[in-house]
Structures are given as structure tokens and as C-alpha cells.
Amino acid sequence: MKARHQSVKYFAVKYTEFFVRNGLIYLPLLVFIFILPNFWTLLLFLGYTSSLIAIFLRYFTTTYRIEADTLTLTTGGIAKTTLKLKQAELSHTLSNFRVEQTIYQKFFRTQGIQIYLNNSTTEEAIEFFALTPEQLAQLQEFLAAFQPATEIVAKNKASLIEKSQADFLTIVKTGLIST
């Protein structure tokens, strides 16, 4: 299977979201256009243009490919990152994934998915913002099959809670003794 981009509706969803969210930020700058028209008009134009170009480039630089036993995720334009998640290693690599649907995505009948990985070099999730239902189902099916078992996750969560409570009690005792 060749590398797939997000749905083409990505542009409509992202640009709608951009203009609604950022319209209020750039609105006060319109007042300054009357005071210093050349400088503020240029600043407003550069702000909008650079943001729109970034949205456009993000579409072409984020792809995925599902093969029989491998999920390949590619992100980035200048600093390109390619992650090949093999079937045997995915249960150790995949931390979680989250499907979301904002009001903008509902309007254009798309959904997004964020994929969180263990031991990744960045804290960010790999995000596909506008996927068709078929694309989303395909990714979810692949990821859900290799997500860590719920009992393992619950066990790890319980041990972390116990450790954090013990550490908190130690902090409180130390604070009382030192005062």
C-alpha cells in the first residue's frame, strides 16, 4: 500500500478552524492599521500568510502506510521523521491513541486521531487531523489489535498511584519535621 495523506477535507477543516480561532487575535491589529497603515498591514499579512502556508505544508508532510505487519508514520518537512512500527514491537511502543472530533470536524464529517508512543523523543502525539471514516477505521483496527492489555495498564497505573501516595506522605512527614 502506498503512503496515504489525510482526507482532502483537511484544508477546509483547518482553514475554518484557523479563521474562527485566530480572527479574534488579529482583529485588534486592524485598529493599528489606521495608525501606522504600512507596518501593521504588512505584519497582519505576514502573520496570516505564514500560518496558512504552515497548514498547507503540514498536509503534505504527514503520511501513514499500513502494510501486513508494519505501520509507517512519516512527519516533518525539513526534519523528516519516519517511524516504522512493526507488529511484534507495537505492544511495547504504542502507549495510547485517542480519536477526537471537534466541532469543525463534525461540520465536515471527518475525525482525527492522535497516536502516543512510549520512549519517543518528543512529548507530542502524532496527529492526523482529518481522516475519512474508512481511514480512521483502518488505523484504529491496526492500533487496537496491538494496544497493551487493559490489565497490564491497570496494574501499572495502580503501582504508580501507590508510589505517588507514598512519596506524598514522605513529603508531608519531612515538611512537618522540618517545621
Side-chain angles (χ1 to χ4, degrees), residues 14-56:
K14 279 304 241 186
Y15 287 141
T16 301
E17 180 186 39
F18 173 77
F19 285 120
V20 170
R21 284 187 178 175
N22 296 332
L24 297 174
I25 293 171
Y26 288 114
L27 200 57
L29 289 177
L30 293 175
V31 174
F32 292 113
I33 288 176
F34 295 111
I35 298 170
L36 298 168
N38 294 335
F39 174 74
W40 290 104
T41 305
L42 178 65
L43 184 66
L44 184 67
F45 176 75
L46 290 176
Y48 265 113
T49 305
S50 62
S51 298
L52 295 175
I53 289 171
I55 290 171
F56 183 77

Side-chain angles (χ1 to χ4, degrees), residues 73-120:
L73 303 169
T74 305
T75 59
I78 296 172
K80 196 172 204 169
T81 303
T82 302
L83 294 169
K84 288 191 176 197
L85 305 173
K86 300 221 181 278
Q87 193 174 35
E89 303 164 355
L90 195 57
S91 62
H92 302 291
T93 308
L94 179 66
S95 170
N96 199 2
F97 66 92
R98 181 176 68 190
V99 177
E100 62 180 21
Q101 188 175 34
T102 64
I103 192 164
Y104 308 107
Q105 292 166 326
K106 282 182 184 179
F107 184 72
F108 291 102
R109 295 185 182 140
T110 61
Q111 287 183 310
I113 189 169
Q114 293 181 347
I115 302 169
Y116 298 94
L117 303 173
N118 289 329
N119 301 325
S120 62

Side-chain angles (χ1 to χ4, degrees), residues 85-168:
L85 305 173
K86 300 221 181 278
Q87 193 174 35
E89 303 164 355
L90 195 57
S91 62
H92 302 291
T93 308
L94 179 66
S95 170
N96 199 2
F97 66 92
R98 181 176 68 190
V99 177
E100 62 180 21
Q101 188 175 34
T102 64
I103 192 164
Y104 308 107
Q105 292 166 326
K106 282 182 184 179
F107 184 72
F108 291 102
R109 295 185 182 140
T110 61
Q111 287 183 310
I113 189 169
Q114 293 181 347
I115 302 169
Y116 298 94
L117 303 173
N118 289 329
N119 301 325
S120 62
T121 56
T122 62
E123 293 286 324
E124 292 182 21
I126 297 170
E127 180 180 19
F128 293 95
F129 193 76
L131 296 173
T132 63
E134 297 82 28
Q135 289 174 320
L136 183 64
Q138 194 178 37
L139 270 172
Q140 266 186 306
E141 180 183 327
F142 188 87
L143 294 172
F146 304 105
Q147 197 172 14
T150 54
E151 60 270 359
I152 295 171
V153 172
K155 181 181 153 192
N156 290 341
K157 192 175 186 180
S159 70
L160 285 174
I161 289 172
E162 288 175 15
K163 286 180 183 177
S164 66
Q165 288 173 345
D167 290 342
F168 180 73

